[in-house]
Amino acid sequence: MKRRYLVIILLLTCYTISHAQTTTQKSTIIDSVFVCPPCGSCDYQTFDKAGKCPMCGMTLISMSLNDFKKQLNLKPVTVCFYIQDGVELLDFAGPMEVFTTAGFHIVTVSKTKSELHTNGLSFIPQYSIKDAPKADVLVVFGGSFAATVADTAVISWIRAQRTTASYFLSVCTGAYILGKAGILDNMTATTYFLQIDNLQKAFPNTKVLANTRFVDNGNIITTAGISAGIDGALHLVEKLRGRDYAKSIAQTIEYDKWIPEQGLVLNKGN
């Protein structure tokens, strides 16, 4: 009988020790990691303490393990840049830097694949409106926009993107292009500060606001002039990936002028 009691005591002791070890192990399970802000070269690396990324030198940021896992499985986003000859360089170069840093796929489209010119730079678009792939986001830009607005083939193509694109973004006087395609009908918009009154006259069914960095109608975003396109692009990244992710993009490109609340968000549901 004593031997039976001794065996039971030993079993209970072993269970207690084993349970305590298991509990200790559970309490030390890692639920957060340190990661490099998106830079394209080491986005999938994790580290167990704060500091500098040994590969790119950027300051590591803390992120929950679940959020990091979600980041690895993010749905890819394709962004179509419609670019016309005489486009304003920073209008598209700024948002392009934001979206590529965010890991989005960029395609450039124009009416044809002929060489385009802007601010002393020449380049060839990847696609024409005849063979452009479907995109999640369509972005249009300012500069020499008059010929684009008058081109019925281009405007028809842009209007047709409403059947496939989830978001539209205009930078500067690119708002005229969206307006001509009817995308700004009964919407609120903004544009380059010298064009506020002219845009309002051109599209009386659109409410045009001055002194507004960007206006978000839900899935249609317009921005003020030139550098404001960076703010609009970061805002769209925030909508798709969250504010912390957008902040890390701003940090990566060293854009310290982004103030999320500086824009007007009319519909937070999308």
Side-chain angles (χ1 to χ4, degrees):
M1 182 66 72
K2 290 183 178 179
R3 288 181 179 179
R4 288 183 180 179
Y5 284 132
L6 180 60
V7 170
I8 293 172
I9 291 172
L10 287 173
L11 288 174
L12 288 174
T13 302
C14 290
Y15 172 78
T16 302
I17 294 173
S18 176
H19 181 70
Q21 289 176 340
T22 303
T23 303
T24 301
Q25 289 173 353
K26 287 183 178 179
S27 66
T28 58
I29 290 176
I30 297 173
D31 60 3
S32 65
V33 292
F34 288 91
V35 299
C36 180
C39 66
S41 61
C42 42
D43 297 348
Y44 301 103
Q45 300 293 324
T46 63
F47 305 89
D48 58 3
K49 59 183 179 180
K52 300 285 186 179
C53 175
M55 287 171 278
C56 69
M58 296 186 66
T59 301
L60 300 176
I61 58 176
S62 179
M63 178 181 290
S64 75
L65 192 56
N66 283 337
D67 285 344
F68 182 71
K69 289 178 179 178
K70 291 178 182 177
Q71 179 175 307
L72 298 184
N73 296 303
L74 291 174
K75 177 184 176 182
V77 176
T78 298
V79 183
C80 173
F81 279 30
Y82 181 84
I83 304 176
Q84 70 275 6
D85 196 52
V87 67
E88 171 61 42
L89 178 58
L90 187 57
D91 272 15
F92 76 88
M96 182 175 284
E97 187 70 20
V98 171
F99 290 139
T100 53
T101 304
F104 296 176
H105 175 57
I106 308 294
V107 296
T108 55
V109 179
S110 194
K111 183 177 182 180
T112 68
K113 296 179 185 177
S114 299
E115 187 176 75
L116 301 176
H117 309 86
T118 171
N119 301 80
L121 174 70
S122 299
F123 61 96
I124 298 174
Q126 296 169 291
Y127 300 96
S128 72
I129 59 175
K130 293 182 178 180
D131 63 0
K134 294 181 180 179
D136 302 294
V137 182
L138 175 66
V139 193
V140 293
F141 310 94
S144 300
F145 64 89
T148 301
V149 170
D151 194 318
T152 56
V154 172
I155 296 302
S156 294
W157 179 82
I158 289 174
R159 186 180 296 118
Q161 302 313 298
R162 290 199 283 191
T163 62
T164 55
S166 299
Y167 294 94
F168 291 86
L169 170 65
S170 71
V171 179
C172 195
T173 50
Y176 280 91
I177 301 174
L178 292 188
K180 186 66 175 181
I183 294 173
L184 296 183
D185 287 353
N186 302 312
M187 298 288 174
T188 302
T190 192
T191 188
Y192 183 54
F193 74 101
L194 291 178
Q195 289 288 335
I196 295 292
D197 292 338
N198 291 334
L199 185 69
Q200 185 65 82
K201 291 176 182 178
F203 305 106
N205 291 330
T206 302
K207 183 179 179 180
V208 183
L209 301 179
N211 303 313
T212 308
R213 199 69 173 166
F214 65 82
V215 177
D216 178 4
N217 293 274
N219 67 335
I220 299 170
I221 304 168
T222 57
T223 80
I226 312 177
S227 65
I230 299 175
D231 298 69
L234 286 168
H235 176 67
L236 184 53
V237 171
E238 179 186 353
K239 286 171 73 73
L240 297 174
R241 297 291 188 254
R243 179 162 294 185
D244 288 343
Y245 194 84
K247 283 182 176 180
S248 71
I249 300 302
Q251 180 188 38
T252 299
I253 65 174
E254 294 198 80
Y255 184 67
D256 59 0
K257 305 300 182 184
W258 184 46
I259 304 174
E261 294 79 11
Q262 193 171 13
L264 175 63
V265 180
L266 297 173
N267 188 340
K268 297 183 179 180
N270 295 329

